[in-house]
Amino acid sequence: MSAQHETGGAAAHRVVVLGAGYAGLSAAIQLACRVKPGEKVRVTLVNAQERFTERLRLHMTATGQRLAELSIPELLEGTGAHFERGWVTAVDADARTVRIDDERVLPYDTLVYALGGVAGTPAVPGVEDHAYTLNGAQDAELLADRLSRLDGGTVAVVGSGLTGVESAAEIAERHPELNVVLLGRSEPGAAMNSKARAYLHAALARLGVTVRSGVEVVKVLPGAVELAGGESVAADAVLWTSGTRVSPLAAAAGLTVDERGRVVTDAALRSVSHPEVYAVGDAAAIRQGYGVMHGTCQGGMPTGVHAAVSIVRELQGKRPRPFRFGYYHTPVSLGRHDAVVQFTHPDDSPRRLYLTGRVAARYKETVSAAPWPTWGRMKKMPASGVFWPRGGRFTRGGEAR
C-alpha cells in the first residue's frame, strides 16, 4: 500500500499543496517522496489544469512554437501524491479547509500555498480588454493566433523586464514582417553589467526591435497605447508584461500579507500568522539578508523543496530550519540561437562573468528544461533536491520577518 494512504487507526496527516507551478510541484514531489512506508501522510496537489505550464518558455508559445505536453498527473507518477483538478475559490485558514470550484471542500492539516502570480493587468485602464498576457499557455496561444493573422503593422511589448525582452526578441525573430516596439520605465538589462547589457541592446537592434526606455504606459486602446504625457504609440497588438499581482485568496483568508498581497513568512517559510501554512514561490514574501526575494524559477523550486523538508521535520517532532537562498544567474534568450547569461552574486547584483551567443542560448535552454529532470531525480533520490546556493554571507542571519 502507498505511503500516502491511511493504514488503519488514526487518520493520515493531510498536506494540501495549492498550485502546480515550479514551486508547488517541487513541494508535492519532494514531500511525497520523503514520506516513508508506514507514515500516515496524504499529499494532495490542487491545480486548475492537468497541463504543466512552462512559464520559462511562454514567449515561444506566443510565437506559435510547439512545446512538449507535460502532464501534472504523469509528473506525479510513482510518488503516491494525489492530484485534484479544480480552481481554488476560497481558503478558510481558521477551519483549515480549501474550497475548489465553489463545490468541493478539501480539509488540510498543513497547507502549502503556491498559487504564484500573474501579470498586473488591473492597474492600467484598457489592459484587460485590449492587451494580451503570458499568464498561461492559453493566453500565449491567443497571442500566437493574433500574430499569425497580421500581415504587417506594430506589436507593442509593454514591460522592459526579462519577460518583455525575451518576448520582444522572439516575436521579432519569428515575425520579421512586424515592427516590434519594447516600452518600459527602465532600460532593458538594467541589472546586468555594462558589457552584457550592451550585448543585449545590440541583439535587440539586430532583430529590429525598437526600444523606448523611461516611458510609462497609462492606458491601452483598441489600436494604440497611451503614454504618460499624452503621446500615443500605434499598435496592432499589445503584449503586457509589466508588473505582477498575486491571488487575493491569501488576504481574504486572513493570512498576513505584504503590500503586494504576498504571504509574509518566517525564516522557515511558514506564514507568520498561521504557522500551519507554508508559502512558497511568487506567492510568498520571503526575506533574506539582501532583501525580499523576487519571483524566479531558480528561487521558486528551492522554496518548494524547503517547505517539504520542513513539513517532514515537523512531523518527526523536529524544528524546521531557516531557508537560505542566493541567486547565481540571469539567463535571457534573444531568439532561438542567441542569448545573454549574466552570472550574479547571491544578492542578484551582477558579476563580471557573462555568456553570449550560441553558448548562452544552449545554457538558457538547459535551464528551461531543468525542472522535469530535477523532479525525476527527486523521485529516485529525494536528497538530490536540496542542493542550491545558500548565499553565504549574503543570507547568513537574514531571517524572514
Side-chain angles (χ1 to χ4, degrees), residues 255-332:
L255 302 177
T256 298
V257 298
D258 70 355
E259 69 282 356
R260 293 175 52 188
R262 299 174 298 183
V263 179
V264 180
T265 71
D266 67 9
L269 306 186
R270 297 171 299 191
S271 161
V272 294
S273 59
H274 295 75
E276 71 280 358
V277 177
Y278 283 81
V280 298
D282 296 349
I286 302 169
R287 183 167 293 278
Q288 299 287 286
Y290 49 76
V292 177
M293 290 176 59
H294 61 78
T296 65
C297 176
Q298 65 174 304
M301 291 179 69
T303 65
V305 172
H306 184 85
V309 173
S310 296
I311 291 168
V312 171
R313 287 184 63 84
E314 287 195 299
L315 292 174
Q316 295 172 344
K318 303 175 183 177
R319 289 174 58 88
R321 296 190 176 100
F323 174 74
R324 292 175 58 198
F325 172 80
Y327 297 100
Y328 47 96
H329 65 196
T330 302
V332 185

Side-chain angles (χ1 to χ4, degrees), residues 3-170:
Q4 303 300 316
H5 292 85
E6 298 179 26
T7 56
H13 186 93
R14 300 160 299 186
V15 181
V16 175
V17 182
L18 303 183
Y22 296 106
L25 204 44
S26 296
I29 291 175
Q30 179 74 197
L31 178 57
C33 290
R34 281 181 176 268
V35 174
K36 298 177 181 178
E39 291 182 330
K40 299 176 181 179
V41 180
R42 179 174 175 82
V43 179
T44 301
L45 176 61
V46 181
N47 200 64
Q49 299 177 340
E50 289 190 6
R51 178 183 177 182
F52 176 74
T53 299
E54 290 189 78
R55 285 196 168 274
L56 295 178
R57 286 180 162 144
L58 283 178
H59 56 283
M60 296 172 62
T61 304
T63 54
Q65 300 174 69
R66 299 288 297 178
L67 303 180
E69 292 281 341
L70 298 172
S71 163
I72 295 170
E74 289 180 6
L75 290 170
L76 291 175
E77 276 184 4
T79 67
H82 172 68
F83 177 70
E84 185 84 22
R85 180 175 179 176
W87 289 96
V88 179
T89 52
V91 176
D92 189 329
D94 294 327
R96 299 193 185 185
T97 60
V98 175
R99 183 171 291 277
I100 303 172
D101 292 334
D102 281 333
E103 298 174 349
R104 290 164 284 162
V105 174
L106 197 62
Y108 66 83
D109 298 298
T110 301
L111 184 71
V112 180
Y113 190 90
L115 289 179
V118 294
T121 54
V124 176
V127 175
E128 292 191 314
D129 295 325
H130 307 302
Y132 295 87
T133 67
L134 298 182
N135 287 338
Q138 291 180 333
D139 296 312
E141 288 164 0
L142 288 174
L143 176 58
D145 178 67
R146 173 62 175 157
L147 296 178
S148 70
R149 291 185 285 106
L150 290 176
D151 293 329
T154 299
V155 178
V157 179
V158 182
S160 52
L162 303 186
T163 302
V165 168
E166 291 191 325
S167 300
E170 203 76 36

